[in-house]
Amino acid sequence: MAADLSAALDAAYACARRFHDARAQRRPNAAATVEWLLDAFGGPTPEAGSDSRTVIERLVTAADPGLTGSAGARFFGWVIGASHPAGVAADWLTSAWGQNGASYHSSPANAVAEHVAARWLVDILRLPPECAVGFTTGATMAQVVCIAAARNELLRRAGWDVEADGMFGAPPISVCVGDEAHASVFLALRYLGFGERRLIRIAADASGRMLDDSLRAAIAQVNGPLLVIAQAGQLNTGAFDPFDAIADATHARDGWLHVDGAFGLWARACAATAHRAAGAERADSWGADGHKWLQVPYDCGYAFVRDAAAHRRAMTTSASYLPPSVNGVIDPSDTVPELSRRARGFATWAVIAALGRRGIAEMIGRHCDLARRMAQRLARHDGVHVLNDVELNQFIVRFGSAGSSAASDEATRRIIDRVQTDGVCFVGGATWRGVAVMRVSVISWPTTDADVDRSADAIIDAWHGFQRES
Ligand SMILES: *Cc1c(COP(=O)(O)O)cnc(C)c1O
């Protein structure tokens, strides 16, 4: 058994080393087709087992051609971090240690690692020191935790006990959401009993920023409990909502302000970008990711809630009373929906220790500089339109004409495909305000100037190739 463990770990280690060492050469898109992968992983249900080493070697053979280069330097699709080495190693140990992260008693080390890492996060993001923190699987679940705390506390103030009486018959809550909010906000609201048709959508400007005039007008129309959801870092443009004006309007009505800051909240960790998210500290809760800009391996998100008691009431298993802490260290399961769960504190603790406050700030500033550099390099060419001010690390590009045109939609989609096939870099596509765009997100720790220049050149080559052929 012991020999089996060493052999399996040695095989995994050798494979991880090969994968890591070949990252610079690897094509960012997966090479294998779904048919190939179904065949490679497939076969009937195994009747007899195999030794662990053989299984791991078979896993590597089947998986490798189906892996993307999202942990590499030239992957700009979606918003995906690149698993910092300290986080990867801590994550391996998390599995090897096999801790159940539910309570202090099931893993004292994890509970304290989460407790300390939570304080570091609050400090680095310059959030109110009284915040409680739940370690979640990602920003979507962070949003669920925050909005559950908001919902239950708003209703408690209105004389309704959600933990005891549930949602049926509860006083209605007015929920205001920006028109360009991330899809996960609507998902979180749905999980919590707020159907999409009963949300109040607030108009946004051309960058996707919520218009505070429209919010004030909407708030003036409603009575009773109020929840406002703002955004730090719009998915396509990186834009920030005007938090001061939103906080004034929300708090004047005793509302709860939640901020979706999956990646954008990290702007607060860097002096060059902090002003973009100014005022966000006035919110009541914030959702952020560890697996995006902080480079913690998946899954990792954080729910920050200013009212620690409201947070625990919404998440604890022992509904109406708050279980005691051990020297201020609370059970991790009192901060998130799960009971048994991964010991999520170790990887975050390790990545923050490895980068330090200065390393995190440097990385965020560098990614924003790289995004600007790449956007400028693209925009020098005729027919290439960068549609947003590059405020952060995200930008969108369109080919042909900037405005609405079926031919440019088609060109933009074809160029995204072509870039993917060429294999120098990976970019995503989206529809932004009715037109097709290429999305670029610079968020991987290994990315350098040279990677960005090479990738911009590959995108331009694809555009020129497309023009020659049409
Ligand atoms: C990625 C993202 C989310 C969702 O985060 P997950 O970690 O995928 O659950 C929410 N909001 C924004 C702005 C995002 O970019």
Side-chain angles (χ1 to χ4, degrees):
M1 200 47 204
D4 202 22
L5 178 71
S6 308
L9 288 182
D10 286 349
Y13 175 70
C15 163
R17 279 295 297 269
R18 276 198 308 279
F19 182 78
H20 181 87
D21 292 346
R23 277 207 290 204
Q25 287 77 45
R26 195 181 178 95
R27 294 166 67 87
N29 52 347
T33 60
V34 65
E35 291 78 14
W36 190 94
L37 289 165
L38 282 168
D39 190 52
F41 280 100
T45 309
E47 297 299 338
S50 306
D51 69 280
S52 302
R53 180 189 194 106
T54 308
V55 171
I56 294 306
E57 285 169 352
R58 274 178 47 208
L59 172 65
V60 170
T61 304
D64 189 82
L67 302 175
T68 65
S70 53
R74 294 187 305 280
F75 194 93
F76 307 106
W78 304 289
V79 187
I80 291 188
S83 293
H84 189 281
V88 173
D91 208 44
W92 283 15
L93 288 171
T94 303
S95 292
W97 289 334
Q99 303 289 287
N100 182 336
S103 74
Y104 175 82
H105 297 287
S106 66
S107 183
N110 175 65
V112 173
E114 285 193 21
H115 176 81
V116 171
R119 280 12 282 167
W120 289 353
L121 288 165
V122 166
D123 183 26
I124 290 167
L125 294 170
R126 297 183 303 107
L127 296 176
E130 66 269 30
C131 274
V133 185
F135 285 60
T136 61
T137 50
T140 306
M141 281 311 291
Q143 238 109 238
V144 169
V145 169
C146 292
I147 296 170
R151 179 192 70 179
N152 297 12
E153 174 61 17
L154 286 168
L155 290 176
R156 196 181 68 86
R157 289 187 216 155
W160 185 271
D161 182 348
V162 179
E163 285 88 13
D165 297 319
M167 283 291 284
F168 295 103
I173 299 177
S174 300
V175 184
C176 297
V177 189
D179 235 351
E180 298 293 353
H182 191 270
S184 65
V185 169
F186 300 98
L187 204 54
L189 284 163
R190 250 167 53 196
Y191 295 154
L192 293 164
F194 300 99
E196 291 200 23
R197 273 204 288 268
R198 53 175 317 288
L199 307 177
I200 304 168
R201 305 278 294 237
I202 308 297
D205 72 9
S207 305
R209 211 178 257 115
M210 189 197 291
L211 294 170
D212 52 288
D213 282 345
S214 303
L215 175 67
R216 277 188 294 272
I219 289 178
Q221 301 291 311
V222 296
N223 296 308
L226 173 69
L227 170 61
V228 175
I229 299 179
Q231 175 166 261
Q234 206 283 333
L235 182 64
N236 293 311
T237 65
F240 293 82
D241 286 346
F243 299 115
D244 273 314
I246 293 173
D248 286 343
T250 308
H251 291 152
R253 279 283 312 277
D254 287 330
W256 180 296
L257 174 58
H258 171 71
V259 173
D260 171 12
F263 63 92
L265 204 60
W266 290 96
R268 298 176 59 80
C270 170
T273 51
H275 64 283
R276 306 262 184 214
E281 69 282 358
R282 295 178 55 198
D284 302 284
S285 60
W286 304 259
D289 265 316
H291 55 218
K292 288 180 178 173
W293 230 338
L294 190 58
Q295 318 289 323
V296 177
Y298 288 95
D299 324 3
C300 181
Y302 314 112
F304 300 94
V305 184
R306 185 194 290 272
D307 182 339
H311 179 195
R312 283 180 83 191
R313 270 197 300 272
M315 290 295 132
T316 185
T317 46
S318 20
S320 52
Y321 76 100
L322 295 181
S325 63
V326 183
N327 265 356
V329 176
I330 62 172
D331 285 339
S333 63
D334 286 337
T335 64
V336 293
E338 304 97 332
L339 204 49
S340 294
R341 68 166 176 93
R342 188 166 187 76
R344 298 199 184 112
F346 299 131
T348 292
W349 184 92
V351 173
I352 297 176
L355 290 171
R357 192 200 301 271
R358 277 205 297 277
I360 293 168
E362 181 281 325
M363 175 176 67
I364 288 161
R366 178 163 48 87
H367 287 154
C368 297
D369 291 344
L370 287 169
R372 260 190 305 278
R373 178 186 178 109
M374 190 164 166
Q376 280 163 4
R377 203 173 169 106
L378 292 172
R380 285 207 293 262
H381 295 268
D382 284 343
V384 181
H385 308 277
V386 173
L387 298 189
N388 62 310
D389 287 340
V390 188
E391 294 184 36
L392 203 65
N393 63 329
Q394 310 279 125
F395 65 92
I396 42 179
V397 197
R398 190 162 155 80
F399 299 86
S401 70
S404 166
S405 134
S408 294
D409 285 347
E410 174 66 13
T412 301
R413 291 194 191 103
R414 293 264 300 275
I415 289 153
I416 294 168
D417 286 346
R418 210 170 170 127
V419 169
Q420 248 61 300
T421 315
D422 291 348
V424 172
C425 68
F426 188 103
V427 291
T431 301
W432 172 248
R433 306 213 139 206
V435 301
V437 294
M438 174 188 284
R439 288 191 65 258
V440 178
S441 175
V442 183
I443 195 161
S444 295
W445 64 268
T447 306
T448 62
D449 285 2
D451 289 308
V452 152
D453 292 351
R454 211 179 134 196
S455 301
D457 291 350
I459 293 168
I460 293 302
D461 284 349
W463 166 230
H464 289 161
F466 171 83
Q467 285 178 299
R468 273 194 303 277
E469 282 168 26
S470 48

